[in-house]
Amino acid sequence: TNLDAANNYKVEHCKEPENWKVVEGAKIIYSAGFFATVSPDSIKAASRQKAQDGGIYCMNLSAPFLMQVPPFKGVFVDTMPYVDFLFGNETEAQTWAETEGWETTDLEFIAMRLSLIPSAKKSKRTVVITQGCDPAIVCVNGLVTKHPVIVLPQEKLVDTNGAGDAYVGGFLAGLVKGLPVADCCKAGAYSASVIVQRSGCTFPAKPDYKL
């Protein structure tokens, strides 16, 4: 992957009138955690705007190293009060707990604590932690639920790269339609199950799933 453009992104581009209009008009904004390495000012601007206009701001922990490097971790700490939906996998969640000194690897407990980090918004934070073929853990304001994924036989697994991102994509598709969290999780599970059966991040021309 050539990341030249992404690695040179500046908040000034985000705030150009025609681009900022998109930010202001968006009901939901999603930031991958990797953006913390490039333009934390853009994350700050977008997350604060959604807090101001009542929109939804979503973020992904994305990779363990982002929590292990203090300047990158600092971006998450600064942004967390403005995050409505936080995504991550089991390793990322446990790395967060380790860097916070929580002294636990219990994913349900970690999800609970992440959901209860004080918010600058009136809404309650939803934390979604995927864990491979095990059920996804969802926690809203300290209340944990589990949501099954689609378990496939080994011979159908072609490439697991992008499975987590596909899960988030399906989840957000449901969120955009105003579906309850359980249905968003079903959409995420479907998306992930499709991606892992194909080489690379590709998908069929027409999905067989309806939101």
Side-chain angles (χ1 to χ4, degrees):
T1 302
N2 188 327
L3 297 174
D4 284 352
N7 284 336
N8 286 285
Y9 193 87
K10 302 291 188 294
V11 69
E12 289 76 17
H13 180 267
C14 180
K15 289 189 172 181
E16 288 179 6
E18 61 180 330
N19 298 330
W20 191 246
K21 186 177 180 180
V22 174
V23 173
E24 290 180 321
K27 294 180 179 179
I28 300 173
I29 290 181
Y30 169 78
S31 294
F34 294 113
F35 210 51
T37 70
V38 178
S39 186
D41 288 339
S42 297
I43 290 176
K44 185 172 185 176
S47 61
R48 270 52 166 191
Q49 178 58 39
K50 290 305 101 184
Q52 180 180 322
D53 64 29
I56 294 173
Y57 188 78
C58 309
M59 199 169 190
N60 199 320
L61 295 176
S62 291
F65 84 89
L66 293 170
M67 279 133 275
Q68 295 168 327
V69 178
F72 303 155
K73 172 72 179 297
V75 176
F76 287 95
V77 172
D78 178 67
T79 309
M80 199 64 73
Y82 302 90
V83 175
D84 296 292
F85 286 81
L86 179 69
F87 299 93
N89 64 28
E90 69 272 43
T91 306
E92 294 153 4
Q94 288 169 342
T95 302
W96 178 280
E98 180 183 0
T99 60
E100 287 291 294
W102 290 351
E103 298 183 347
T104 183
T105 58
D106 185 308
L107 292 172
E108 292 186 35
F109 181 77
I110 294 169
M112 180 188 69
R113 291 204 56 173
L114 282 167
S115 77
L116 294 175
I117 292 174
S119 175
K121 308 173 79 169
K122 293 181 180 180
S123 57
K124 304 299 183 182
R125 182 178 306 108
T126 298
V127 176
V128 181
I129 299 176
T130 57
Q131 41 179 355
C133 62
D134 292 326
I137 295 170
V138 176
C139 189
V140 184
N141 195 34
L143 180 63
V144 173
T145 56
K146 291 185 176 182
H147 302 266
V149 296
I150 299 172
V151 180
L152 299 168
Q154 188 68 34
E155 61 269 19
K156 284 195 172 184
L157 298 178
V158 176
D159 184 356
T160 58
N161 286 314
D165 290 325
Y167 188 99
V168 174
F171 188 102
L172 292 177
L175 189 64
V176 167
K177 285 185 168 287
L179 299 181
V181 166
D183 289 335
C184 292
C185 288
K186 288 178 182 177
Y190 164 78
S191 297
S193 73
V194 171
I195 289 295
V196 298
Q197 295 182 70
R198 304 170 68 89
S199 180
C201 292
T202 61
F203 47 87
K206 186 176 182 180
D208 55 7
Y209 188 90
K210 290 185 179 181
L211 291 170

